[in-house]
């Protein structure tokens, strides 16, 4: 566990170093138009449904994360960028573990190459510091896949629930995993757990 934490911290330090010129960059229109105001409403007033911008279907997962961070740091662009980079570091670490899992028996060190390409990808580079949904959704998708491969189905369903609470369109992930267990493996008791994300999303829609 200690080595894992050290590795995540090292990745986070690398990401911060790579993004140093942009850590105080003004908020992008999507951040400023939806996600940061929604998080600020939760941070200041405890409002789950935003009142300072137009509410939409996006669940409040990102708002909860940012509001929790701001509780300790106070709100600022720098704190927001660093919070997203910290989550991105966890995503890089999980991608590394998934690459190891998928490349078992392969010669060389393909997992390191996978991480290198991820870090070099322009989409990941920009998304990793932005307060938008795509990078956090990637993190929990990779976590869900790892848990699914390890046959930790209940934990996987919980990861999928967190994923759907972040991004509603990610509901396709637990639906596919649950269908795989139901129809291909016949593990229907395990498959039922993958209905939990849909229940969570329905609860959010009821609140909205």
């Amino acid at each position: 566990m200690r080595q894992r934490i050290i590795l995540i911290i090292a990745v986070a330090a690398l990401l911060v170093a790579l993004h140093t010129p942009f850590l105080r960059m003004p908020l992008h229109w999507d951040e400023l138009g939806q996600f940061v105001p929604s998080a600020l409403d939760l941070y200041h007033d405890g409002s789950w449904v935003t009142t300072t911008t137009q509410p939409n279907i996006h669940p409040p997962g990102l708002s909860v994360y940012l509001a929790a961070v701001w509780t300790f740091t106070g709100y600022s662009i720098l704190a927001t960028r660093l919070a997203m980079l910290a989550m991105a570091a966890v995503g890089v670490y999980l991608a590394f573990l998934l690459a190891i899992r998928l490349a078992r028996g392969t010669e060389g060190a393909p997992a390191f190459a996978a991480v290198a390409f991820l870090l070099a990808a322009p989409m990941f580079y920009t998304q990793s510091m932005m307060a938008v949904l795509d990078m956090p959704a990637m993190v929990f998708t990779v976590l869900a896949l790892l848990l699914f491969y390890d046959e930790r189905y209940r934990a996987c369903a919980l990861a999928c629930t967190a994923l759907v609470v972040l991004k509603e369109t990610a509901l396709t992930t637990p639906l596919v995993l649950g269908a795989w267990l139901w129809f291909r493996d016949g593990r229907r008791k395990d498959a039922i757990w993958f209905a939990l994300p849909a229940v969570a999303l329905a609860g959010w829609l009821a609140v909205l």
Side-chain angles (χ1 to χ4, degrees), residues 70-133:
W70 295 338
T71 299
F72 296 98
T73 65
Y75 167 71
S76 68
I77 292 177
L78 178 61
T80 304
R81 301 278 181 230
L82 291 176
M84 299 311 296
L85 287 172
M87 182 174 287
V90 174
V92 172
Y93 172 71
L94 293 174
F96 179 63
L97 294 183
L98 182 61
I100 292 174
R101 179 70 172 76
L102 295 176
R104 285 179 180 174
T106 305
E107 294 183 0
F112 288 99
V115 168
F117 281 118
L118 178 62
L119 291 173
M123 184 65 73
F124 180 80
Y125 181 85
T126 55
Q127 292 280 342
S128 60
M129 69 173 182
M130 294 177 62
V132 292
L133 302 179

Side-chain angles (χ1 to χ4, degrees), residues 29-30 45 56 65 82 86 99 114 137 143 172 177 182 203:
W29 71 268
D30 210 11
D45 306 321
N56 63 29
Y65 174 65
L82 291 176
L143 176 59
T172 54
L177 298 180
W182 185 282

Side-chain angles (χ1 to χ4, degrees), residues 40-60:
L40 283 171
D41 286 339
L42 182 60
Y43 173 57
H44 289 307
D45 306 321
S47 176
W48 290 91
V49 178
T50 182
T51 57
T52 57
T53 190
Q54 181 66 36
N56 63 29
I57 194 174
H58 293 314

